Amino acid sequence: MRFAVPLLAALGGLPVAMGHTWIEQMRNIDADGNFFGEYGYPRGYKAKTDPGYDGNSMNYLLPPLEQQPPFINSTNLLCHPNQRKQEQSDKYPRLKTQAGGHVALRYMENGHISLPEQQVGKPEKAGTVYVFGTTDPKDDEKIADVLKWTADGQGGNKRGVLVGAQNYDDGRCYEQNNSPIHNERAAKFPNWMMGQVPDGDKGPGNAALFCETNIEIPKDAQTGKPYTLYWVWQWPTKPQTSVYTDGKDEYYTTCMDVDIVDTLKQDRTFKAKFPLVQQDAMSVAVSNFASRTALVDDPIKGELGNVFHGQQTQSGVQTTLQTSLATPPAATTGIEIPTLTDRPGASSAPSANPGGNNAVTIIVTERITVTAPAATAIVTASKQHVARHGARFRGMFTVDH
């Protein structure tokens, strides 16, 4: 079966790029690019230092590995199971922010930027991050619905907006490794653990540096109510001659809420109550926090499957579609039709004596074209053919089970 190869590759140790990234912290940004105020966290947050933490505590992959073919479908839930309700964990409160305020959503790059040679077939800048916002979140939010939201609020079901689209690589972040990218960035943007910053910020850093997605909270966000943000990292694998012959979707998401307040005290001497145990000391956002863009600014363009091009089942295989066939080529048939005509050159006036010498009966064979009516064809497409080509057919199709 065609779809068994990617699944075996993913589970059997073949060289397949596997990502893992989620939002670990949120910070307010002032007009000068400084972080300020209390820290904020996603729904259901569990830090790497918390008891019971494992690789699935926060990481959420779509489509799941067992879903084949490896493309999202209309049933895939957007949020991690621990983030489907608007609930916070102890010690990890929501961020308080203002309508129109700038916010940094911070995450670790986990080698997806500093070790690009390990990720065959991946997009430039490590893909695209999209942030969507809504005042009407659902516990069963679907990723295919949210990806249709647009900046003007008119996309899809119109329950939310696209707040921003940016490259995953913010141009500054890095993990602690000895790669050329790490070495260059660590020298230019040194980072330290909280409480370990040397005098004058001199000397080599001792901490990895979070990446960030920088957004502006919509100006019409209502004070006194939570505003929901969906962070979606689109990181597809392009079609390759081995393993993923049709390409592969790969999304990672984090769901979070912020509390919209009237005012925020921008005091850099404020001592926050809720830092991470392994809190870094970076105090400023990336320099272009207010003007960042993406190589791909439309999530629909980055989707490799057929979820936006036809009706899909939970398995991802497109089922029966009925359309009209295009008008087939004209069918021709020769029909002999006898006609009565005069001898060439004879008068066209009626003859008083039809049996006279001027009257002659001639049988002429004429060939006319008759166009057959439009037809409907029944064609059975194999499951492999449907998975490879999607709904790019005409006529009535059924899936061969």
Side-chain angles (χ1 to χ4, degrees), residues 59 119 150 153 197 223 229 256 316 325 335 355 359 386-387:
N59 195 51
Q119 296 140 61
T150 53
V197 182
T223 299
L229 297 169
M256 65 208 95
L325 279 176
I335 303 176
V386 174

Side-chain angles (χ1 to χ4, degrees), residues 9-314:
L11 300 179
L14 294 180
V16 178
M18 295 296 295
H20 56 295
T21 295
W22 58 92
I23 297 303
E24 301 200 37
Q25 195 173 67
M26 294 178 276
R27 301 298 311 269
N28 283 299
I29 309 171
D30 68 19
D32 297 321
N34 300 304
F35 293 147
F36 73 93
E38 187 60 81
Y39 301 100
Y41 298 91
R43 300 173 182 175
Y45 186 72
K46 181 173 284 190
K48 296 169 184 173
T49 54
D50 287 342
Y53 170 86
D54 63 31
N56 296 316
S57 296
M58 295 296 297
N59 195 51
Y60 186 59
L61 166 67
L62 290 173
L65 286 177
E66 63 272 14
Q67 181 173 309
Q68 298 298 319
F71 305 107
I72 60 169
N73 62 48
S74 59
T75 70
N76 289 139
L77 296 179
L78 174 72
C79 299
H80 187 288
N82 296 337
Q83 296 179 349
R84 291 172 188 165
K85 295 184 181 297
Q86 292 178 285
E87 298 174 349
Q88 298 296 125
S89 302
D90 293 341
K91 305 184 297 180
Y92 302 113
R94 291 176 182 166
L95 182 74
K96 295 185 186 306
T97 191
Q98 292 176 288
H102 288 275
V103 172
L105 310 178
R106 310 183 77 205
Y107 54 95
M108 283 295 176
E109 56 104 352
N110 294 318
H112 304 305
I113 295 169
S114 57
L115 300 171
E117 67 279 359
Q118 296 184 2
Q119 296 140 61
V120 178
K122 291 300 184 179
E124 289 184 71
K125 305 296 183 182
T128 309
V129 170
Y130 300 96
V131 180
F132 301 91
T134 182
T135 57
D136 185 22
K138 304 295 184 185
D139 293 353
D140 62 347
E141 202 80 80
K142 310 295 195 303
I143 187 171
D145 292 336
V146 172
L147 290 178
K148 296 177 185 177
W149 294 353
T150 53
D152 62 4
Q154 297 304 301
N157 56 28
K158 302 181 182 180
R159 278 197 300 105
V161 298
L162 174 62
V163 175
Q166 295 166 18
N167 298 326
Y168 178 92
D169 183 359
D170 67 4
R172 183 178 76 166
C173 58
Y174 53 84
E175 283 284 355
Q176 290 286 70
N177 54 45
N178 198 34
S179 69
I181 292 176
H182 160 268
N183 294 341
E184 178 183 354
R185 293 187 179 186
K188 187 175 181 180
F189 308 109
N191 194 28
W192 295 272
M193 297 303 293
M194 186 69 76
Q196 299 178 12
V197 182
D199 292 339
D201 292 357
K202 301 296 183 182
N206 62 6
L209 180 54
F210 280 111
C211 302
E212 56 192 68
T213 301
N214 307 103
I215 62 168
E216 180 181 349
I217 301 297
K219 293 180 174 62
D220 60 357
Q222 190 172 348
T223 299
K225 293 188 176 182
Y227 188 79
T228 297
L229 297 169
Y230 298 136
W231 182 89
V232 180
W233 174 30
Q234 188 179 63
W235 194 52
T237 300
K238 66 182 180 182
Q240 300 176 65
T241 56
S242 62
V243 186
Y244 297 112
T245 56
D246 294 322
K248 171 181 177 289
D249 278 349
E250 197 164 346
Y251 292 85
Y252 296 87
T253 72
T254 300
C255 301
M256 65 208 95
D257 309 289
V258 295
D259 287 329
I260 306 299
V261 298
D262 275 328
T263 58
L264 287 171
K265 186 176 182 181
Q266 297 187 11
D267 181 3
R268 295 191 65 193
T269 65
F270 170 80
K271 187 170 179 60
K273 298 178 181 178
F274 300 101
L276 292 169
V277 171
Q278 296 179 337
Q279 183 63 54
D280 72 315
M282 180 54 65
S283 60
V284 295
V286 294
S287 59
N288 60 340
F289 71 91
S291 59
R292 290 182 59 196
T293 58
L295 295 178
V296 180
D297 59 6
D298 181 353
I300 305 301
K301 293 179 180 178
E303 168 54 37
L304 298 183
N306 293 317
V307 68
F308 300 122
H309 307 291
Q311 184 177 358
Q312 290 194 330
T313 65
Q314 186 167 356

Side-chain angles (χ1 to χ4, degrees), residues 1 3 67-74 303-323 379-401:
M1 184 175 178
F3 309 135
Q67 181 173 309
Q68 298 298 319
F71 305 107
I72 60 169
N73 62 48
S74 59
E303 168 54 37
L304 298 183
N306 293 317
V307 68
F308 300 122
H309 307 291
Q311 184 177 358
Q312 290 194 330
T313 65
Q314 186 167 356
S315 67
V317 178
Q318 286 194 294
T319 55
T320 303
L321 297 174
Q322 182 171 359
T323 63
V379 182
T380 299
S382 68
K383 186 177 295 184
Q384 291 89 341
H385 190 84
V386 174
R388 181 176 180 84
H389 299 287
R392 300 180 182 91
F393 307 103
R394 297 180 183 273
M396 180 182 291
F397 288 81
T398 58
V399 175
D400 183 17
H401 293 285

